[in-house]
Amino acid sequence: MKKSVITFLGFYVVNQDELGVRLTFGKFSGQVAPGLGFCIPILQKIYTTKSSIQTIDLPNQQVVLNGNVSVTISGTVHFRVVDSEQALLEVVDYQQSIKQLALTTISDVIGTKTIEEVRGQKASIAAEIEDVIRGTTKKWGLGDIDIRLTDASMEPNLLRAMMRETEAKKEATAQRIKAESDQITADIFCKAARLLASSPGAMTLRILQTLSDISSDKSTVVVPIPIELLSGSNSLTAQYNDIVPVADIEMVSDQVFCYCPSCEQRFNISEVTKNERYDKNPDLPGIQLSCTKCKTLFSVSKMR
Protein backbone atom coordinates (compact mmCIF):
# COMPACT_ATOMS: atom_id res chain seq x y z
CA MET A 1 0.00 0.00 0.00
CA LYS A 2 1.22 3.52 -0.82
CA LYS A 3 1.25 6.10 1.96
CA SER A 4 2.44 9.72 2.21
CA VAL A 5 5.18 10.59 4.73
CA ILE A 6 4.60 13.45 7.13
CA THR A 7 7.48 15.93 7.22
CA PHE A 8 8.48 18.41 9.92
CA LEU A 9 10.40 21.44 8.71
CA GLY A 10 11.35 19.35 5.69
CA PHE A 11 12.66 16.40 7.69
CA TYR A 12 11.11 12.92 7.49
CA VAL A 13 11.80 9.42 8.74
CA VAL A 14 11.49 6.22 6.70
CA ASN A 15 11.26 2.98 8.71
CA GLN A 16 13.62 0.03 8.15
CA ASP A 17 10.89 -2.14 6.57
CA GLU A 18 9.88 0.53 4.06
CA LEU A 19 10.98 1.83 0.66
CA GLY A 20 9.93 5.14 -0.87
CA VAL A 21 10.08 7.61 -3.74
CA ARG A 22 10.49 11.38 -3.90
CA LEU A 23 8.30 13.47 -6.19
CA THR A 24 9.31 17.02 -7.10
CA PHE A 25 6.51 19.07 -8.61
CA GLY A 26 4.76 15.70 -9.07
CA LYS A 27 7.66 14.16 -11.04
CA PHE A 28 9.82 11.30 -9.85
CA SER A 29 13.14 12.64 -8.59
CA GLY A 30 14.65 9.65 -6.79
CA GLN A 31 14.16 6.81 -4.33
CA VAL A 32 14.46 7.24 -0.57
CA ALA A 33 16.12 4.78 1.80
CA PRO A 34 15.27 3.94 5.42
CA GLY A 35 16.38 6.51 7.98
CA LEU A 36 16.27 10.31 8.34
CA GLY A 37 15.88 12.39 5.20
CA PHE A 38 15.10 15.93 4.03
CA CYS A 39 12.77 17.25 1.37
CA ILE A 40 11.71 20.70 0.28
CA PRO A 41 8.34 21.43 1.87
CA ILE A 42 5.42 21.99 -0.50
CA LEU A 43 7.64 21.38 -3.56
CA GLN A 44 8.46 17.75 -2.81
CA LYS A 45 6.45 14.79 -1.47
CA ILE A 46 7.57 11.43 -0.09
CA TYR A 47 5.60 8.21 -0.60
CA THR A 48 6.57 4.88 0.96
CA THR A 49 5.44 1.25 0.95
CA LYS A 50 6.34 -1.92 2.86
CA SER A 51 9.44 -3.80 1.70
CA SER A 52 8.85 -6.89 3.87
CA ILE A 53 7.04 -10.03 2.70
CA GLN A 54 3.32 -9.42 2.15
CA THR A 55 0.63 -12.11 2.10
CA ILE A 56 -2.71 -12.03 0.30
CA ASP A 57 -5.38 -14.69 0.77
CA LEU A 58 -6.95 -15.76 -2.51
CA PRO A 59 -10.73 -16.27 -2.30
CA ASN A 60 -12.34 -19.57 -3.28
CA GLN A 61 -12.99 -19.86 -6.98
CA GLN A 62 -14.65 -22.62 -8.96
CA VAL A 63 -12.60 -24.04 -11.83
CA VAL A 64 -13.69 -26.56 -14.46
CA LEU A 65 -10.88 -29.06 -14.99
CA ASN A 66 -9.97 -31.16 -17.97
CA GLY A 67 -12.70 -33.80 -18.08
CA ASN A 68 -15.52 -31.43 -17.10
CA VAL A 69 -14.92 -31.89 -13.37
CA SER A 70 -15.64 -28.82 -11.25
CA VAL A 71 -13.46 -28.09 -8.19
CA THR A 72 -13.16 -25.20 -5.75
CA ILE A 73 -9.62 -23.82 -5.43
CA SER A 74 -8.23 -21.57 -2.68
CA GLY A 75 -4.73 -20.45 -1.79
CA THR A 76 -2.36 -17.67 -0.80
CA VAL A 77 0.22 -15.51 -2.59
CA HIS A 78 3.38 -14.15 -0.95
CA PHE A 79 5.55 -11.37 -2.41
CA ARG A 80 7.67 -8.37 -1.56
CA VAL A 81 8.37 -4.95 -3.13
CA VAL A 82 11.89 -4.88 -4.60
CA ASP A 83 11.60 -1.69 -6.67
CA SER A 84 9.65 1.16 -5.03
CA GLU A 85 9.58 3.28 -8.20
CA GLN A 86 7.80 0.62 -10.27
CA ALA A 87 5.56 -0.55 -7.41
CA LEU A 88 4.34 2.98 -6.57
CA LEU A 89 4.35 4.62 -9.98
CA GLU A 90 3.79 1.87 -12.57
CA VAL A 91 0.64 0.34 -11.02
CA VAL A 92 -2.21 1.97 -9.11
CA ASP A 93 -2.65 -0.78 -6.46
CA TYR A 94 -0.10 -3.57 -6.73
CA GLN A 95 -1.84 -5.68 -4.06
CA GLN A 96 -5.14 -5.77 -5.93
CA SER A 97 -3.34 -6.25 -9.23
CA ILE A 98 -1.30 -9.26 -8.11
CA LYS A 99 -4.40 -10.76 -6.48
CA GLN A 100 -6.42 -10.61 -9.70
CA LEU A 101 -3.44 -11.82 -11.73
CA ALA A 102 -3.04 -14.84 -9.43
CA LEU A 103 -6.74 -15.73 -9.67
CA THR A 104 -6.84 -15.61 -13.47
CA THR A 105 -3.55 -17.50 -13.81
CA ILE A 106 -4.73 -20.24 -11.44
CA SER A 107 -7.93 -20.62 -13.48
CA ASP A 108 -6.01 -20.80 -16.77
CA VAL A 109 -3.35 -23.27 -15.58
CA ILE A 110 -5.54 -25.59 -13.50
CA GLY A 111 -8.20 -25.66 -16.22
CA THR A 112 -5.81 -27.79 -18.32
CA LYS A 113 -5.20 -30.35 -15.54
CA THR A 114 -7.09 -33.48 -14.49
CA ILE A 115 -8.50 -34.03 -11.03
CA GLU A 116 -5.75 -36.55 -10.23
CA GLU A 117 -3.05 -34.01 -11.11
CA VAL A 118 -4.69 -31.23 -9.07
CA ARG A 119 -5.03 -33.41 -5.96
CA GLY A 120 -1.61 -35.03 -6.22
CA GLN A 121 0.67 -32.43 -7.83
CA LYS A 122 -0.14 -29.17 -6.05
CA ALA A 123 3.52 -28.17 -5.66
CA SER A 124 4.37 -28.53 -9.36
CA ILE A 125 1.16 -26.73 -10.40
CA ALA A 126 1.94 -23.87 -7.99
CA ALA A 127 5.44 -23.59 -9.48
CA GLU A 128 3.95 -23.38 -12.98
CA ILE A 129 1.62 -20.59 -11.82
CA GLU A 130 4.52 -18.73 -10.20
CA ASP A 131 6.50 -18.76 -13.46
CA VAL A 132 3.59 -17.09 -15.26
CA ILE A 133 3.05 -14.47 -12.52
CA ARG A 134 6.75 -13.57 -12.25
CA GLY A 135 6.89 -12.49 -15.88
CA THR A 136 4.22 -9.85 -15.26
CA THR A 137 4.96 -8.72 -11.68
CA LYS A 138 8.62 -8.10 -12.56
CA LYS A 139 7.43 -4.97 -14.39
CA TRP A 140 5.57 -3.91 -11.23
CA GLY A 141 8.66 -3.99 -9.02
CA LEU A 142 7.53 -7.10 -7.14
CA GLY A 143 9.67 -10.14 -6.40
CA ASP A 144 10.00 -13.31 -4.26
CA ILE A 145 6.66 -14.58 -5.59
CA ASP A 146 5.38 -17.70 -3.80
CA ILE A 147 2.00 -19.32 -4.57
CA ARG A 148 0.44 -21.88 -2.22
CA LEU A 149 -2.67 -23.86 -3.19
CA THR A 150 -4.30 -24.75 0.11
CA ASP A 151 -7.41 -26.65 -0.97
CA ALA A 152 -9.03 -28.35 -3.96
CA SER A 153 -12.49 -29.52 -2.93
CA MET A 154 -15.20 -31.19 -5.01
CA GLU A 155 -18.92 -31.67 -4.68
CA PRO A 156 -19.85 -34.49 -2.23
CA ASN A 157 -21.64 -36.58 -4.89
CA LEU A 158 -18.66 -36.43 -7.23
CA LEU A 159 -16.25 -37.22 -4.41
CA ARG A 160 -18.25 -40.32 -3.40
CA ALA A 161 -18.35 -41.50 -7.02
CA MET A 162 -14.57 -41.15 -7.33
CA MET A 163 -14.07 -43.02 -4.06
CA ARG A 164 -16.23 -45.90 -5.35
CA GLU A 165 -14.25 -45.96 -8.58
CA THR A 166 -10.94 -46.06 -6.69
CA GLU A 167 -12.23 -48.83 -4.43
CA ALA A 168 -13.34 -50.88 -7.45
CA LYS A 169 -9.91 -50.51 -9.08
CA LYS A 170 -8.13 -51.60 -5.91
CA GLU A 171 -10.48 -54.59 -5.55
CA ALA A 172 -9.78 -55.62 -9.14
CA THR A 173 -6.05 -55.35 -8.53
CA ALA A 174 -6.34 -57.48 -5.39
CA GLN A 175 -8.31 -60.18 -7.25
CA ARG A 176 -5.73 -60.25 -10.05
CA ILE A 177 -2.84 -60.60 -7.57
CA LYS A 178 -4.70 -63.39 -5.72
CA ALA A 179 -5.39 -65.25 -8.99
CA GLU A 180 -1.72 -65.01 -9.99
CA SER A 181 -0.72 -66.28 -6.54
CA ASP A 182 -3.11 -69.26 -6.83
CA GLN A 183 -1.70 -70.08 -10.26
CA ILE A 184 1.88 -70.06 -8.96
CA THR A 185 0.87 -72.22 -5.97
CA ALA A 186 -0.90 -74.70 -8.24
CA ASP A 187 2.18 -74.99 -10.47
CA ILE A 188 4.35 -75.72 -7.43
CA PHE A 189 1.93 -78.39 -6.18
CA CYS A 190 1.81 -80.02 -9.63
CA LYS A 191 5.62 -80.22 -9.77
CA ALA A 192 5.73 -81.66 -6.23
CA ALA A 193 3.05 -84.23 -7.09
CA ARG A 194 4.93 -85.39 -10.19
CA LEU A 195 8.15 -85.67 -8.18
CA LEU A 196 6.49 -87.72 -5.42
CA ALA A 197 4.73 -89.94 -7.95
CA SER A 198 8.01 -90.75 -9.65
CA SER A 199 9.58 -91.90 -6.37
CA PRO A 200 7.54 -94.32 -4.15
CA GLY A 201 10.03 -93.84 -1.35
CA ALA A 202 9.48 -90.09 -1.37
CA MET A 203 5.72 -90.64 -1.20
CA THR A 204 6.18 -92.93 1.82
CA LEU A 205 8.31 -90.33 3.60
CA ARG A 206 5.74 -87.66 2.82
CA ILE A 207 2.93 -89.78 4.29
CA LEU A 208 4.99 -90.48 7.41
CA GLN A 209 5.72 -86.77 7.80
CA THR A 210 2.00 -85.96 7.45
CA LEU A 211 1.11 -88.56 10.09
CA SER A 212 3.75 -87.05 12.37
CA ASP A 213 2.27 -83.58 11.91
CA ILE A 214 -1.27 -84.84 12.54
CA SER A 215 -0.23 -86.77 15.65
CA SER A 216 0.73 -83.50 17.39
CA ASP A 217 -2.97 -82.62 17.50
CA LYS A 218 -4.45 -84.64 20.36
CA SER A 219 -7.99 -84.16 19.06
CA THR A 220 -7.17 -85.99 15.79
CA VAL A 221 -7.59 -89.77 15.48
CA VAL A 222 -4.94 -91.37 13.26
CA VAL A 223 -5.96 -94.61 11.49
CA PRO A 224 -2.99 -96.46 9.87
CA ILE A 225 -3.71 -97.56 6.29
CA PRO A 226 -1.35 -99.72 4.20
CA ILE A 227 0.29 -97.59 1.58
CA GLU A 228 -0.55 -100.21 -1.06
CA LEU A 229 -4.23 -99.30 -0.72
CA LEU A 230 -3.47 -95.72 -1.80
CA SER A 231 -2.34 -96.92 -5.22
CA GLY A 232 -5.62 -98.74 -6.03
CA SER A 233 -6.90 -102.35 -6.07
CA ASN A 234 -5.42 -103.03 -9.50
CA SER A 235 -1.87 -102.68 -8.25
CA LEU A 236 -2.72 -104.84 -5.19
CA THR A 237 -4.10 -107.62 -7.42
CA ALA A 238 -1.06 -107.35 -9.63
CA GLN A 239 1.16 -107.74 -6.57
CA TYR A 240 -0.72 -110.91 -5.52
CA ASN A 241 -0.53 -112.23 -9.06
CA ASP A 242 3.22 -111.73 -8.99
CA ILE A 243 3.43 -113.84 -5.79
CA VAL A 244 0.92 -116.60 -6.71
CA PRO A 245 0.59 -117.53 -10.41
CA VAL A 246 -2.89 -117.91 -11.87
CA ALA A 247 -3.83 -121.19 -13.51
CA ASP A 248 -5.48 -121.50 -16.90
CA ILE A 249 -9.07 -122.76 -16.76
CA GLU A 250 -10.79 -125.01 -19.30
CA MET A 251 -14.45 -126.02 -19.24
CA VAL A 252 -15.45 -129.32 -20.89
CA SER A 253 -19.19 -130.05 -20.84
CA ASP A 254 -20.16 -129.51 -17.20
CA GLN A 255 -16.68 -130.11 -15.86
CA VAL A 256 -14.11 -127.39 -15.07
CA PHE A 257 -10.41 -128.21 -15.43
CA CYS A 258 -7.31 -126.16 -14.60
CA TYR A 259 -3.63 -126.61 -15.39
CA CYS A 260 -0.71 -126.11 -13.04
CA PRO A 261 1.33 -123.12 -14.25
CA SER A 262 4.56 -125.02 -13.55
CA CYS A 263 4.09 -128.61 -14.70
CA GLU A 264 0.82 -128.42 -16.71
CA GLN A 265 -0.74 -131.06 -14.45
CA ARG A 266 -4.50 -131.21 -15.12
CA PHE A 267 -6.99 -130.98 -12.26
CA ASN A 268 -10.77 -131.34 -12.19
CA ILE A 269 -11.88 -128.48 -9.97
CA SER A 270 -15.63 -128.39 -10.61
CA GLU A 271 -16.36 -128.77 -6.91
CA VAL A 272 -13.25 -127.08 -5.55
CA THR A 273 -13.87 -123.71 -7.18
CA LYS A 274 -17.32 -123.59 -5.62
CA ASN A 275 -16.19 -124.39 -2.07
CA GLU A 276 -13.85 -122.05 -0.19
CA ARG A 277 -12.82 -124.70 2.34
CA TYR A 278 -10.26 -126.02 -0.18
CA ASP A 279 -8.56 -122.62 -0.28
CA LYS A 280 -4.92 -122.91 0.89
CA ASN A 281 -4.57 -119.14 1.46
CA PRO A 282 -7.87 -117.32 2.10
CA ASP A 283 -6.08 -113.93 2.33
CA LEU A 284 -5.39 -113.92 -1.41
CA PRO A 285 -8.03 -113.29 -4.09
CA GLY A 286 -9.61 -116.40 -5.64
CA ILE A 287 -8.88 -119.96 -4.45
CA GLN A 288 -5.31 -121.20 -3.95
CA LEU A 289 -4.57 -124.85 -4.71
CA SER A 290 -1.38 -126.86 -4.28
CA CYS A 291 -0.21 -129.04 -7.18
CA THR A 292 -0.01 -132.69 -6.14
CA LYS A 293 2.85 -133.25 -8.56
CA CYS A 294 5.22 -130.30 -8.13
CA LYS A 295 3.73 -128.76 -4.98
CA THR A 296 3.37 -125.36 -6.69
CA LEU A 297 0.80 -123.05 -5.12
CA PHE A 298 -1.35 -121.50 -7.79
CA SER A 299 -4.55 -119.44 -7.89
CA VAL A 300 -7.86 -120.30 -9.53
CA SER A 301 -10.52 -117.71 -10.10
CA LYS A 302 -13.59 -118.18 -7.99
CA MET A 303 -16.60 -119.56 -9.93
CA ARG A 304 -19.96 -117.85 -9.50
Side-chain angles (χ1 to χ4, degrees):
M1 294 292 293
K2 179 172 65 173
K3 70 176 183 177
S4 178
V5 177
I6 300 175
T7 62
F8 180 74
L9 299 177
F11 292 96
Y12 63 88
V13 175
V14 177
N15 295 328
Q16 182 63 43
D17 63 340
E18 294 178 333
L19 292 176
V21 295
R22 179 187 293 109
L23 300 180
T24 303
F25 294 110
K27 183 178 180 180
F28 174 73
S29 59
Q31 297 182 352
V32 296
L36 180 63
F38 176 80
C39 67
I40 301 173
I42 301 176
L43 301 181
Q44 294 180 326
K45 290 184 178 181
I46 305 299
Y47 294 98
T48 62
T49 187
K50 290 290 184 180
S51 62
S52 56
I53 293 292
Q54 301 182 50
T55 301
I56 297 177
D57 291 329
L58 301 176
N60 295 339
Q61 63 172 335
Q62 197 170 24
V63 181
V64 178
L65 306 181
N66 185 11
N68 295 326
V69 177
S70 179
V71 297
T72 301
I73 302 293
S74 62
T76 58
V77 56
H78 308 272
F79 66 95
R80 77 165 69 240
V81 175
V82 296
D83 190 327
S84 58
E85 178 185 1
Q86 292 179 323
L88 296 175
L89 303 179
E90 297 296 333
V91 61
V92 176
D93 186 347
Y94 61 79
Q95 288 186 338
Q96 183 65 19
S97 298
I98 194 173
K99 177 180 178 180
Q100 295 300 321
L101 177 62
L103 290 175
T104 55
T105 304
I106 289 174
S107 179
D108 293 340
V109 173
I110 293 184
T112 62
K113 308 296 182 181
T114 62
I115 184 60
E116 290 79 10
E117 293 173 336
V118 171
R119 297 181 67 87
Q121 302 178 13
K122 291 183 180 179
S124 61
I125 294 176
E128 185 177 349
I129 295 173
E130 290 172 8
D131 292 339
V132 177
I133 294 177
R134 286 194 187 99
T136 301
T137 56
K138 185 177 181 181
K139 303 175 184 178
W140 299 347
L142 306 179
D144 298 338
I145 307 297
D146 185 21
I147 300 291
R148 298 292 177 179
L149 301 178
T150 57
D151 190 20
S153 58
M154 296 180 294
E155 295 181 359
N157 293 337
L158 179 60
L159 182 59
R160 286 193 293 269
M162 293 186 61
M163 292 177 63
R164 289 195 297 268
E165 180 182 0
T166 302
E167 183 179 357
K169 290 181 179 179
K170 291 184 179 296
E171 182 67 21
T173 302
Q175 293 292 340
R176 179 178 57 81
I177 294 175
K178 184 178 183 302
E180 293 176 352
S181 176
D182 292 342
Q183 182 180 3
I184 294 174
T185 304
D187 292 339
I188 294 175
F189 281 146
C190 288
K191 292 179 181 178
R194 286 194 295 268
L195 181 61
L196 291 174
S198 63
S199 176
M203 177 62 76
T204 302
L205 293 176
R206 180 56 181 164
I207 294 175
L208 293 176
Q209 181 182 359
T210 303
L211 292 176
S212 176
D213 295 339
I214 295 176
S215 64
S216 62
D217 187 359
K218 296 182 180 180
S219 63
T220 303
V221 178
V222 180
V223 179
I225 299 175
I227 191 173
E228 290 79 5
L229 296 180
L230 301 177
S231 59
S233 59
N234 292 335
S235 60
L236 182 61
T237 303
Q239 182 179 5
Y240 285 147
N241 291 339
D242 291 340
I243 298 175
V244 180
V246 179
D248 293 333
I249 299 176
E250 181 182 19
M251 188 171 183
V252 179
S253 298
D254 293 336
Q255 301 294 319
V256 179
F257 299 90
C258 70
Y259 298 87
C260 176
S262 298
C263 63
E264 295 293 324
Q265 178 70 24
R266 181 177 176 180
F267 296 91
N268 187 331
I269 58 170
S270 298
E271 297 296 329
V272 173
T273 56
K274 297 180 181 180
N275 196 333
E276 293 182 355
R277 63 189 180 87
Y278 297 102
D279 195 356
K280 299 292 185 182
N281 192 345
D283 295 332
L284 297 181
I287 297 178
Q288 282 67 47
L289 300 178
S290 178
C291 180
T292 57
K293 182 177 180 181
C294 63
K295 305 301 181 183
T296 299
L297 183 68
F298 59 92
S299 178
V300 180
S301 300
K302 184 177 179 181
M303 299 292 292
R304 288 185 179 271

